[in-house]
């Protein structure tokens, strides 16, 4: 299977080169060794041929003639065998054109054509002739040349063997050196870089890069290290940023909790939702980077939530009851830049609730690009819990005050009915008895006037008592001014014979219980006057909140006031004026240009805050 690892391939190539060099060196050495095997023997044998040639001549000259011929022939045959010895033949190349082969052939030719015939033709025991000496010298010269060529060929093969070994050694050394530099460049240096990067990462320094080019494992490892350090740097900086953000969030959360704790005391002790909550909410806006914040309260008598407070508005809110307070007012330029629907803002609605009861909703606007952090949301949820507790406690206190007041009214109504009402009824009966007396004389007109004044006063007092008792009973069954007014309108609509117009826009809990009683009583008095004395056919009632004051008006199309003043023996307008002074306002009674009378009550509620700051009594 082919390796896919460049580094392994490179190492395999180097090792293969070394192994191949070794194999080539060994094979060539073996071949050269084989080629010169027997050359030494051949050289020795060839050198011995010279001595043998001289011995043949010497023996031919010194042997006995009787026995020398046979011995001489044996020596020639033996010498022939030695000349054609296998060692010599193995050392001579087989190719005929090789110089050594030609030289050997010349030796054979000299032996065959010159020396051997001379030896065979010489008489044994006779002196050596000049021809024989010349033949031997020629033969010996050829043999010397053969020996010399054998020696040279052997030395050349040995030199070739040395050269091959030197080349193999040099090539191996070069391969090893190349391997060393390659390993240094491609293994040691990259490893050193990777170790330095690892040490730098340990010291939280992610700027070091391997920047290795190539496709081997270490280059890929260097690329992986670069990616790893980049990702580690990004992760580290992200974690560092998150830690910084969390630290900032914790600091902001701590400051926000301090703000809420500081405002919490004032919210519960002073019972002032507007002045107590707005500064706290504005500080939270600065800390959390949100806003504006609005608070809506849910009222059982209103189908829609009623806005109670806001931290920023360019116009005085409808519900504002303190025109000396500018805590929530901002310039139109600042308001336009706030994150609202028209300026790329998002809204978060948080319920203000107690178990089983929804008291209101906290509306929080925040920039769309920034978003709302989980910490800010938890803080706002904590804030809603505080607001829910404060609003619930104040509502509970208000309801307890109203229940206590209702009980007091019930007691007063019963006492009035059992005492003052019976006394007035008794006095009316006595006046009736006086009318039945037949009084004559000059004092009769005086007595009649006195009786008339007594009757008018008693009737007015009795009517006022009935209205007061009706008011107490009505308020007992209806815990809010709007419902009480609607029942009153229904009552006087029946007495008038046609519906009485009614318009009402007071926010819930605008008036204290005491203010509600006086307002209701003044309206009932105005309606009673319109129905009983004005002979009106069209009556309308308006109770409007014109921040910061309340305006209540009763209009009719009756005959109006004669002379524009209080009728004789009628004290209703005086009582209304007295009630208006109790409210800190005034009642104005005027004839209308188009006919009829308008009774207008205006006053500023004493409870300027949504949660009353003090209890009131009727």
């Amino acid at each position: 299977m082919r390796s896919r690892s460049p580094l392994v391939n490179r190492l395999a190539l180097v090792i293969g080169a070394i192994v191949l060099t070794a194999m080539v060196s060994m094979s060539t050495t073996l071949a050269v060794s084989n080629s010169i095997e027997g050359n030494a023997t051949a050289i020795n044998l060839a050198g011995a041929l010279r001595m043998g040639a001289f011995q043949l001549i010497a023996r031919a000259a010194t042997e006995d003639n009787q026995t020398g011929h046979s011995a001489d022939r044996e020596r020639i045959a033996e010498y022939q065998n030695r000349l054609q010895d296998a060692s010599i033949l193995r050392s001579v190349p087989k190719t005929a054109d090789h110089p050594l082969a030609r030289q050997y052939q010349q030796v054979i030719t000299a032996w065959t054509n010159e020396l051997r015939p001379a030896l065979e033709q010489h008489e044994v025991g006779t002196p050596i002739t000049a021809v024989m000496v010349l033949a031997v010298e020629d033969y010996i010269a050829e043999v010397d040349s053969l020996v010399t060529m054998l020696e040279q060929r052997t030395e050349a093969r040995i030199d070739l063997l040395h050269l091959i070994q030197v080349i193999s050694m040099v090539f191996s050394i070069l391969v090893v050196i190349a391997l060393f530099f390659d390993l240094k460049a491609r293994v040691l240096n990259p490893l050193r870089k990777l170790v330095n990067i690892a040490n730098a990462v340990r010291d939280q320094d992610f700027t070091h890069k391997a920047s290795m080019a190539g496709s081997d494992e270490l280059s890929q490892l260097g690329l992986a290290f670069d990616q790893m350090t980049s990702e580690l740097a990004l992760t580290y900086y992200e974690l560092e940023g998150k830690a910084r953000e969390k630290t900032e969030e914790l600091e902001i959360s701590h400051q926000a909790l301090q703000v809420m704790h500081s405002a919490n005391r004032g919210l519960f002790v002073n019972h002032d939702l507007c002045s107590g909550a707005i500064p706290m909410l504005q500080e939270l806006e600065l800390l959390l980077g949100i806003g504006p914040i609005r608070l809506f309260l849910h009222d059982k008598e209103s189908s829609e939530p009623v806005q109670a407070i806001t931290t920023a508005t360019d116009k005085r809110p409808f519900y504002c009851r303190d025109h000396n307070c500018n805590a929530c007012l901002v310039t139109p330029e600042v308001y336009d830049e706030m994150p609202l629907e028209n300026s790329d803002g998002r809204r978060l609605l948080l319920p203000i609730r107690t178990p089983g009861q929804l008291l209101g909703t906290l509306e929080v606007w925040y920039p769309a690009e920034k978003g709302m952090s989980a910490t800010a949301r938890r803080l706002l949820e904590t804030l809603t819990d505080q607001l829910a507790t404060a609003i619930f406690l104040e509502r509970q206190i208000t309801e307890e005050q109203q229940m206590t007041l209702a009980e007091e009214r019930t007691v007063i109504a019963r006492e009035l009915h059992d005492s003052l009402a019976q006394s007035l009824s008794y006095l009316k009966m006595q006046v009736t008895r006086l009318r039945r007396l037949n009084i004559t004389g000059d004092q009769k007109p005086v007595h009649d006037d006195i009786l008339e004044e007594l009757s008018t006063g008693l009737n007015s007092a009795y009517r006022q008592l009935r209205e007061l008792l009706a008011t107490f009973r009505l308020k007992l069954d209806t815990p809010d001014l709007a419902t009480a007014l609607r029942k009153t309108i229904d009552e006087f609509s029946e007495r008038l014979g046609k519906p009485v117009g009614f318009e009402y826009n007071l926010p819930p809990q605008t008036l204290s219980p005491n203010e509600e009683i006086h307002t209701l009583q003044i309206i009932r008095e105005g309606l009673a006057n319109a129905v009983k004395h004005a002979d009106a056919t069209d009556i309308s009632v308006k109770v409007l909140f014109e921040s910061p004051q309340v305006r209540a008006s009763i209009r009719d199309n009756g005959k109006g006031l004669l002379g524009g003043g209080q009728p004789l023996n009628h004290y209703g307008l005086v009582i209304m004026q007295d009630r208006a002074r109790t409210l800190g306002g005034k009642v104005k009674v005027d004839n209308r240009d188009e006919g009829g009378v308008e009774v207008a009550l205006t006053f500023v509620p004493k409870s300027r805050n949504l949660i009353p700051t003090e209890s009131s009594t009727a």
Side-chain angles (χ1 to χ4, degrees), residues 401 404-405 408-409 412 512-518 582-583 606 614-618:
Q401 291 175 352
T404 302
L405 188 60
E408 292 177 355
R409 292 174 190 159
I412 293 173
S512 67
N514 184 49
E515 292 169 339
E516 288 181 352
I517 292 174
H518 287 298
T582 303
L583 294 174
K606 291 182 180 179
E614 60 182 3
S615 60
S616 303
T617 57

Side-chain angles (χ1 to χ4, degrees), residues 230-533:
S230 299
E231 292 176 359
L232 283 176
L234 181 60
T235 303
Y236 179 79
Y237 293 139
E238 287 180 352
L239 290 176
E240 191 176 35
K242 289 181 179 179
R244 192 183 307 109
E245 290 177 359
K246 290 296 182 182
T247 303
E248 293 176 355
E249 287 183 3
L250 289 175
E251 292 177 354
I252 292 174
S253 177
H254 177 67
Q255 295 176 9
L257 289 175
Q258 286 183 333
V259 170
M260 288 191 290
H261 177 73
S262 301
N264 196 27
R265 180 178 180 86
L267 193 62
F268 283 96
V269 174
N270 299 327
H271 311 301
D272 190 347
L273 184 61
C274 188
S275 63
I278 287 182
M280 173 185 64
L281 295 178
Q282 289 174 340
E283 289 189 38
L284 288 178
E285 288 178 352
L286 293 176
L287 288 174
L288 304 179
I290 58 177
I293 300 176
R294 296 168 181 167
L295 173 63
F296 294 86
L297 295 182
H298 297 266
D299 190 87
K300 58 185 177 181
E301 300 298 331
S302 176
S303 59
E304 297 294 331
V306 179
Q307 182 171 314
I309 59 174
T310 181
T311 57
T313 179
D314 57 344
K315 297 179 181 178
R316 188 171 296 278
F318 170 78
Y319 56 82
C320 183
R321 290 163 233 149
D322 187 357
H323 281 211
N324 294 321
C325 174
N326 298 320
C328 62
L329 294 179
V330 297
T331 61
E333 293 77 12
V334 173
Y335 185 77
D336 291 339
E337 294 179 357
M338 289 185 173
L340 295 171
E341 290 178 337
N342 57 351
S343 57
D344 196 20
R346 292 184 181 176
R347 181 176 62 173
L348 174 65
L349 297 177
L350 297 173
I352 301 175
R353 64 170 67 247
T354 57
Q357 185 179 6
L358 180 63
L359 301 177
T361 302
L362 192 67
E363 180 186 81
V364 182
W365 290 90
Y366 59 93
E369 69 279 1
K370 182 180 179 181
M372 174 75 70
S373 65
T375 302
R377 188 183 181 102
R378 288 193 295 269
L379 289 172
L380 291 173
E381 290 174 351
T382 303
L383 174 64
T384 57
D385 294 338
Q386 291 183 348
L387 292 175
T389 304
I391 294 172
F392 176 77
L393 290 177
E394 289 307 319
R395 284 191 176 182
Q396 191 175 26
I397 292 173
T398 301
E399 290 177 0
E400 291 177 356
Q401 291 175 352
Q402 290 177 346
M403 292 179 61
T404 302
L405 188 60
E407 292 176 358
E408 292 177 355
R409 292 174 190 159
T410 303
V411 173
I412 293 173
R414 185 169 55 248
E415 293 297 328
L416 289 176
H417 182 271
D418 294 340
S419 58
L420 185 57
Q422 294 181 6
S423 298
L424 290 176
S425 298
Y426 174 75
L427 291 177
K428 288 180 67 176
M429 288 187 291
Q430 296 301 322
V431 170
T432 303
R433 290 181 60 192
L434 288 175
R435 285 184 181 277
R436 293 178 180 178
L437 294 177
N438 189 12
I439 299 176
T440 59
D442 295 337
Q443 300 298 323
K444 183 177 185 329
V446 177
H447 286 85
D448 290 340
D449 292 337
I450 293 174
L451 287 175
E452 184 65 26
E453 290 180 2
L454 285 174
S455 178
T456 301
L458 287 173
N459 288 334
S460 177
Y462 195 73
R463 181 176 60 82
Q464 293 289 337
L465 180 60
R466 286 200 311 271
E467 294 289 342
L468 185 59
L469 292 176
T471 300
F472 283 146
R473 295 190 182 101
L474 184 63
K475 193 62 179 179
L476 180 63
D477 298 331
T478 56
D480 67 292
L481 178 61
T483 305
L485 285 176
R486 291 189 183 96
K487 291 191 174 184
T488 299
I489 294 299
D490 293 340
E491 174 189 343
F492 281 94
S493 295
E494 293 179 2
R495 292 171 61 178
L496 181 64
K498 63 179 299 186
V500 175
F502 182 56
E503 183 179 352
Y504 182 91
N505 74 345
L506 290 188
Q509 300 181 359
T510 301
L511 305 179
S512 67
N514 184 49
E515 292 169 339
E516 288 181 352
I517 292 174
H518 287 298
T519 302
L520 177 63
Q521 189 60 41
I522 290 173
I523 292 174
R524 290 183 64 86
E525 180 66 29
L527 287 172
N529 290 335
V531 171
K532 184 175 182 181
H533 302 294

Side-chain angles (χ1 to χ4, degrees), residues 51-63 75 119 122 125-126 128 132:
M51 182 60 67
F54 285 114
Q55 288 178 353
L56 286 176
I57 294 174
R59 292 286 180 91
T62 59
E63 285 288 339
R75 286 194 294 271
L119 289 174
H122 179 69
T126 64
I128 298 173
M132 291 183 64

Side-chain angles (χ1 to χ4, degrees), residues 13-24:
L13 180 63
V14 171
I15 294 174
I18 294 175
V19 171
L20 180 61
T21 302
M23 293 180 64
V24 169

